[in-house]
Amino acid sequence: MNITFTVNAVKDLEELPVALRKTTFKQLELLRRDIRHPSIHAKKYDENNGVWQGRVNLGYRFYFRIVGSVYRILRVIPHPK
């Protein structure tokens, strides 16, 4: 699978501290290899719109859609607790 980013996701990534950005890219690489990787905790977030949620760490999540063979990263934001 390939990964692409929306403009909003790129802006989100640019605003993250360097360590958190590095963790995000590590998690995205795990997603690329296997959506079922246990540290990602990928799950459908909004089934009507085809949006999934994955874990960066306890405080941050990334949201994505699966379009063919591409994971389209929509946002990387603090976890809405």
Side-chain angles (χ1 to χ4, degrees):
M1 297 286 272
N2 293 314
I3 293 178
T4 62
F5 300 89
T6 63
V7 171
N8 285 333
V10 171
K11 288 178 184 177
D12 293 341
L13 287 164
E14 289 172 346
E15 294 174 2
L16 293 177
V18 173
L20 188 54
R21 189 177 319 132
K22 184 176 178 178
T23 301
T24 302
F25 281 115
K26 179 186 78 70
Q27 292 298 94
L28 293 175
E29 178 58 22
L30 293 174
L31 172 70
R32 189 187 67 74
R33 292 181 186 178
D34 182 4
I35 193 172
R36 296 178 306 257
H37 192 281
S39 73
I40 298 170
H41 295 269
K43 63 181 181 180
K44 286 190 178 178
Y45 179 76
D46 181 351
E47 194 161 340
N48 290 335
N49 292 310
V51 177
W52 290 66
Q53 179 189 72
R55 180 182 289 179
V56 173
N57 61 22
L58 290 177
Y60 274 79
R61 300 292 185 266
F62 60 90
Y63 296 86
F64 64 100
R65 284 195 179 105
I66 301 172
V67 182
S69 64
V70 175
Y71 294 125
R72 181 92 171 133
I73 309 302
L74 306 171
R75 299 298 309 261
V76 181
I77 58 174
H79 182 23
K81 297 176 184 170

